[in-house]
Amino acid sequence: MPTFKLDGKTIPFEPGDTIIQAAYREGIEIPHYCWHPGLSAPANCRMCLVEILPKPGARPLMLDVLQWDARAGAYRTTQKPKLQPACYTAAADGMDVRGDTSEHARKARHDVQEFLLLNHPVDCPICDQSGECKLQDYWLEYGQYQKRMRDEPVHKPKGVVFGPTIVYDGERCVMCTRCTRFMAEVAKDPVLDMRERGNLNEIFVAPGRQLDGHYTFMTEHVCPVGALTTKDFRFKARVWFLKTAPAICQGCATGCNAHLDYDPRYSKVYRYRPRDNEKVNKYWMCDEGMLSYKEAHEGRLLEPKVRGVAMPTAKALEEIKSLFAGVPKDVVAIVLSASHSLEDNWALLELGTVLLGAKHVYVSGRPDGYADDILIHRDKNSNTRGVMELAPNAKPLSALVADAKAGLTHVLALGGAAPSDVGDLRSLKVVTVAAHEGPLTSIATVALPAASWAEASGTYVNAKGIRQGSEKALEPQGASKPAWRQLADVAAALGFEATWSKLRQIRTNLIGTGAASSTPALSNARAASAE
Ligand code: SF4
Ligand code: SF4
Ligand code: FES
């Protein structure tokens, strides 16, 4: 593989890589505003300038510049090397690139930083980007100067509502055009553009339109500063109080990799951010997915219910015991969940088919919905493929209605969701373990609360067959427990000795099922998000 040197470090690259791309892949950040690994490179911010040393014997490319001579009290002409934008310059074998080790590159970054902040309001204390803003980061690294401009800064539109989700502050905008390029290149909806010139530049929405659709949150995510904020997160939390857990979005079968940001002081989830995974979601998530973090708190089943009435766990388990006492195995059905983890489904399969001896296995989940050819999958369940690999002969829930007429009377289910009306199952004795209220919990004789994906580590197989791990962020809320743990308690209540009491045991058992051939690990190449 060809290589070049960056500040003395050897960087391998693939043909066609720019300097910044190759460095990024190696985990080295060359400072930048306009460059983003998933977008085209306009090279307009000039923050990434580097010095490329000439090959031995070659004439260096030099520029005449004016430099202030304080002693003489006049400008004098001098020379400096012509710097190159790392985001636009192709890497070449044997190249010697100097960034942080070049006084000229550092000076250029300092000057770009001063230029970008000339008219900036520097309102960090009330800015939502504070703590994760590239202007702040690079000011510390390359700025640290006393402001020289004494004039009133140029004022621009503030608090401009771009659409149902996004608000724009023109004074904080560094005109990197990441947002306009995202909408044009990824969302395929070029609804944002830049108007005016020089320090009157601003981003605007096409006349007659608003910034809407399925990918508006990504404009805020790619914005390197606080110019775009989401109505959802604005003024809600300071990011330095948030912790993050690597999660898998539960919104559809694409299984986008995400950071789930939560405040451990209040056990409250605040937002999702995309986590880079070239093979799954690249650097992006859709709006529905970005907002689905709320399901960690909304619509939850947090206490056991018997015929719709809240009960202590012990009473609910007693009820399950009496429901299933002496029931022949032929009348018992198992309903797996396409939106629960492999571990949860394995535990139900083990309890239902091995311990109880049930022969009838079904799968339930959310109904299909909107799809596109960018990210969004029509299957709104995160683990349909995983469940089908675990139980290839599982029938759709709709088949249970017909089979119930043929004599099935007892159902042990996972999850509250169902793809269609479950009214016909009302006459059955249904026990479900679910994180959220749903059609199945509404007809259940007994419903036990399960931890949501935010409260339990689990493995999910996306529509492409990629197995991915999602990690626990919060402690289980209310009386909930990981579903596999609840199912172990159900097994004990029914007089069985569950073969699983730890996640590790289930994962070992999953080896060889076809659904999980090893202990799940995060499949993303990089744990961090692009920006
Ligand atoms: S709003 Fe943000 S992303 Fe868009 S041009 Fe301004 S700084 Fe860049
Ligand atoms: S495409 Fe699907 S998995 Fe990805 S963010 Fe949207 S809902 Fe979530
Ligand atoms: S990152 Fe903006 S010019 Fe290179």
Side-chain angles (χ1 to χ4, degrees), residues 168 172-180 203 219 222-225 227-228:
Y168 175 65
R172 294 180 189 156
C173 177
V174 295
M175 293 299 155
C176 67
T177 69
R178 279 185 182 193
C179 54
T180 65
I203 300 297
T219 60
V222 297
C223 183
V225 299
L228 294 179

mmCIF file of all heavy atoms in Angstrom, residues 168 172-180 203 219 222-225 227-228, ligand 1:
data_model
loop_
_atom_site.group_PDB
_atom_site.id
_atom_site.type_symbol
_atom_site.label_atom_id
_atom_site.label_comp_id
_atom_site.label_asym_id
_atom_site.label_seq_id
_atom_site.Cartn_x
_atom_site.Cartn_y
_atom_site.Cartn_z
ATOM 1 N N TYR A 168 -32.200 28.122 12.517
ATOM 2 C CA TYR A 168 -30.916 28.615 11.990
ATOM 3 C C TYR A 168 -30.515 29.923 12.651
ATOM 4 O O TYR A 168 -31.345 30.809 12.842
ATOM 5 C CB TYR A 168 -31.071 28.821 10.480
ATOM 6 C CG TYR A 168 -29.874 29.437 9.795
ATOM 7 C CD1 TYR A 168 -28.655 28.776 9.736
ATOM 8 C CD2 TYR A 168 -29.976 30.690 9.173
ATOM 9 C CE1 TYR A 168 -27.563 29.341 9.085
ATOM 10 C CE2 TYR A 168 -28.893 31.253 8.513
ATOM 11 C CZ TYR A 168 -27.682 30.574 8.480
ATOM 12 O OH TYR A 168 -26.601 31.128 7.843
ATOM 13 N N ARG A 172 -23.886 32.608 13.756
ATOM 14 C CA ARG A 172 -22.951 31.547 14.169
ATOM 15 C C ARG A 172 -22.448 30.730 12.975
ATOM 16 O O ARG A 172 -21.578 29.875 13.138
ATOM 17 C CB ARG A 172 -23.641 30.588 15.142
ATOM 18 C CG ARG A 172 -24.019 31.182 16.475
ATOM 19 C CD ARG A 172 -24.686 30.095 17.301
ATOM 20 N NE ARG A 172 -25.277 30.602 18.525
ATOM 21 C CZ ARG A 172 -26.275 29.996 19.164
ATOM 22 N NH1 ARG A 172 -26.782 28.868 18.677
ATOM 23 N NH2 ARG A 172 -26.765 30.501 20.255
ATOM 24 N N CYS A 173 -23.008 30.976 11.792
ATOM 25 C CA CYS A 173 -22.718 30.138 10.626
ATOM 26 C C CYS A 173 -21.349 30.458 10.042
ATOM 27 O O CYS A 173 -21.004 31.622 9.870
ATOM 28 C CB CYS A 173 -23.819 30.365 9.592
ATOM 29 S SG CYS A 173 -23.591 29.487 8.062
ATOM 30 N N VAL A 174 -20.540 29.417 9.759
ATOM 31 C CA VAL A 174 -19.226 29.639 9.155
ATOM 32 C C VAL A 174 -19.254 29.363 7.655
ATOM 33 O O VAL A 174 -18.216 29.276 7.016
ATOM 34 C CB VAL A 174 -18.124 28.802 9.843
ATOM 35 C CG1 VAL A 174 -17.934 29.245 11.288
ATOM 36 C CG2 VAL A 174 -18.428 27.311 9.786
ATOM 37 N N MET A 175 -20.433 29.217 7.096
ATOM 38 C CA MET A 175 -20.627 29.067 5.646
ATOM 39 C C MET A 175 -19.826 27.909 5.058
ATOM 40 O O MET A 175 -19.267 27.994 3.981
ATOM 41 C CB MET A 175 -20.218 30.368 4.921
ATOM 42 C CG MET A 175 -21.112 31.509 5.236
ATOM 43 S SD MET A 175 -22.787 31.127 4.703
ATOM 44 C CE MET A 175 -23.693 32.173 5.805
ATOM 45 N N CYS A 176 -19.803 26.818 5.801
ATOM 46 C CA CYS A 176 -19.048 25.662 5.318
ATOM 47 C C CYS A 176 -19.814 24.906 4.239
ATOM 48 O O CYS A 176 -19.248 24.091 3.526
ATOM 49 C CB CYS A 176 -18.747 24.728 6.489
ATOM 50 S SG CYS A 176 -20.218 23.952 7.175
ATOM 51 N N THR A 177 -21.122 25.149 4.146
ATOM 52 C CA THR A 177 -22.052 24.501 3.185
ATOM 53 C C THR A 177 -22.237 22.994 3.404
ATOM 54 O O THR A 177 -22.711 22.294 2.514
ATOM 55 C CB THR A 177 -21.667 24.744 1.705
ATOM 56 O OG1 THR A 177 -20.454 24.030 1.403
ATOM 57 C CG2 THR A 177 -21.535 26.212 1.382
ATOM 58 N N ARG A 178 -21.851 22.502 4.559
ATOM 59 C CA ARG A 178 -22.115 21.072 4.803
ATOM 60 C C ARG A 178 -23.615 20.788 4.746
ATOM 61 O O ARG A 178 -24.039 19.767 4.223
ATOM 62 C CB ARG A 178 -21.615 20.679 6.183
ATOM 63 C CG ARG A 178 -20.145 20.401 6.279
ATOM 64 C CD ARG A 178 -19.913 19.914 7.679
ATOM 65 N NE ARG A 178 -18.548 19.637 7.975
ATOM 66 C CZ ARG A 178 -18.168 18.960 9.058
ATOM 67 N NH1 ARG A 178 -19.062 18.527 9.912
ATOM 68 N NH2 ARG A 178 -16.912 18.727 9.289
ATOM 69 N N CYS A 179 -24.423 21.689 5.328
ATOM 70 C CA CYS A 179 -25.876 21.443 5.378
ATOM 71 C C CYS A 179 -26.467 21.429 3.968
ATOM 72 O O CYS A 179 -27.292 20.564 3.651
ATOM 73 C CB CYS A 179 -26.571 22.484 6.249
ATOM 74 S SG CYS A 179 -26.230 24.187 5.776
ATOM 75 N N THR A 180 -26.041 22.368 3.124
ATOM 76 C CA THR A 180 -26.610 22.413 1.767
ATOM 77 C C THR A 180 -26.164 21.185 0.977
ATOM 78 O O THR A 180 -26.938 20.595 0.231
ATOM 79 C CB THR A 180 -26.172 23.689 1.015
ATOM 80 O OG1 THR A 180 -24.769 23.649 0.811
ATOM 81 C CG2 THR A 180 -26.522 24.942 1.786
ATOM 82 N N ILE A 203 -27.329 31.120 4.846
ATOM 83 C CA ILE A 203 -28.003 29.926 4.337
ATOM 84 C C ILE A 203 -29.501 30.209 4.345
ATOM 85 O O ILE A 203 -30.014 30.834 5.276
ATOM 86 C CB ILE A 203 -27.678 28.699 5.218
ATOM 87 C CG1 ILE A 203 -26.166 28.430 5.242
ATOM 88 C CG2 ILE A 203 -28.445 27.458 4.748
ATOM 89 C CD1 ILE A 203 -25.540 28.082 3.915
ATOM 90 N N THR A 219 -28.907 17.715 9.013
ATOM 91 C CA THR A 219 -28.304 19.028 8.723
ATOM 92 C C THR A 219 -27.710 19.595 10.011
ATOM 93 O O THR A 219 -26.629 20.171 10.009
ATOM 94 C CB THR A 219 -29.338 20.010 8.137
ATOM 95 O OG1 THR A 219 -30.398 20.210 9.074
ATOM 96 C CG2 THR A 219 -29.890 19.509 6.816
ATOM 97 N N VAL A 222 -24.451 17.569 10.841
ATOM 98 C CA VAL A 222 -23.226 17.875 10.081
ATOM 99 C C VAL A 222 -22.734 19.293 10.331
ATOM 100 O O VAL A 222 -21.575 19.598 10.049
ATOM 101 C CB VAL A 222 -23.383 17.647 8.548
ATOM 102 C CG1 VAL A 222 -23.657 16.197 8.223
ATOM 103 C CG2 VAL A 222 -24.436 18.565 7.943
ATOM 104 N N CYS A 223 -23.587 20.168 10.840
ATOM 105 C CA CYS A 223 -23.163 21.549 11.109
ATOM 106 C C CYS A 223 -22.050 21.526 12.167
ATOM 107 O O CYS A 223 -22.256 21.055 13.281
ATOM 108 C CB CYS A 223 -24.355 22.375 11.595
ATOM 109 S SG CYS A 223 -23.916 24.104 11.875
ATOM 110 N N PRO A 224 -20.858 22.036 11.833
ATOM 111 C CA PRO A 224 -19.746 21.903 12.786
ATOM 112 C C PRO A 224 -19.816 22.902 13.936
ATOM 113 O O PRO A 224 -19.013 22.843 14.865
ATOM 114 C CB PRO A 224 -18.519 22.187 11.911
ATOM 115 C CG PRO A 224 -19.022 23.067 10.822
ATOM 116 C CD PRO A 224 -20.448 22.687 10.572
ATOM 117 N N VAL A 225 -20.773 23.841 13.844
ATOM 118 C CA VAL A 225 -20.891 24.894 14.861
ATOM 119 C C VAL A 225 -22.344 24.950 15.329
ATOM 120 O O VAL A 225 -23.142 24.081 15.004
ATOM 121 C CB VAL A 225 -20.411 26.245 14.281
ATOM 122 C CG1 VAL A 225 -18.954 26.155 13.858
ATOM 123 C CG2 VAL A 225 -21.267 26.663 13.087
ATOM 124 N N ALA A 227 -24.815 26.809 14.421
ATOM 125 C CA ALA A 227 -25.720 27.578 13.548
ATOM 126 C C ALA A 227 -27.045 26.869 13.323
ATOM 127 O O ALA A 227 -28.081 27.521 13.198
ATOM 128 C CB ALA A 227 -25.040 27.852 12.206
ATOM 129 N N LEU A 228 -27.026 25.545 13.256
ATOM 130 C CA LEU A 228 -28.276 24.792 13.112
ATOM 131 C C LEU A 228 -28.512 24.021 14.406
ATOM 132 O O LEU A 228 -27.623 23.306 14.878
ATOM 133 C CB LEU A 228 -28.203 23.825 11.924
ATOM 134 C CG LEU A 228 -28.091 24.472 10.541
ATOM 135 C CD1 LEU A 228 -27.996 23.410 9.459
ATOM 136 C CD2 LEU A 228 -29.255 25.407 10.252
HETATM 137 S S1 SF4 B 1 -25.510 26.299 8.925
HETATM 138 FE FE1 SF4 B 1 -23.827 25.069 9.744
HETATM 139 S S2 SF4 B 1 -23.549 23.468 8.195
HETATM 140 FE FE2 SF4 B 1 -24.727 25.079 7.226
HETATM 141 S S3 SF4 B 1 -23.205 26.403 6.251
HETATM 142 FE FE3 SF4 B 1 -23.597 27.270 8.281
HETATM 143 S S4 SF4 B 1 -22.027 26.396 9.578
HETATM 144 FE FE4 SF4 B 1 -22.101 25.138 7.742
#
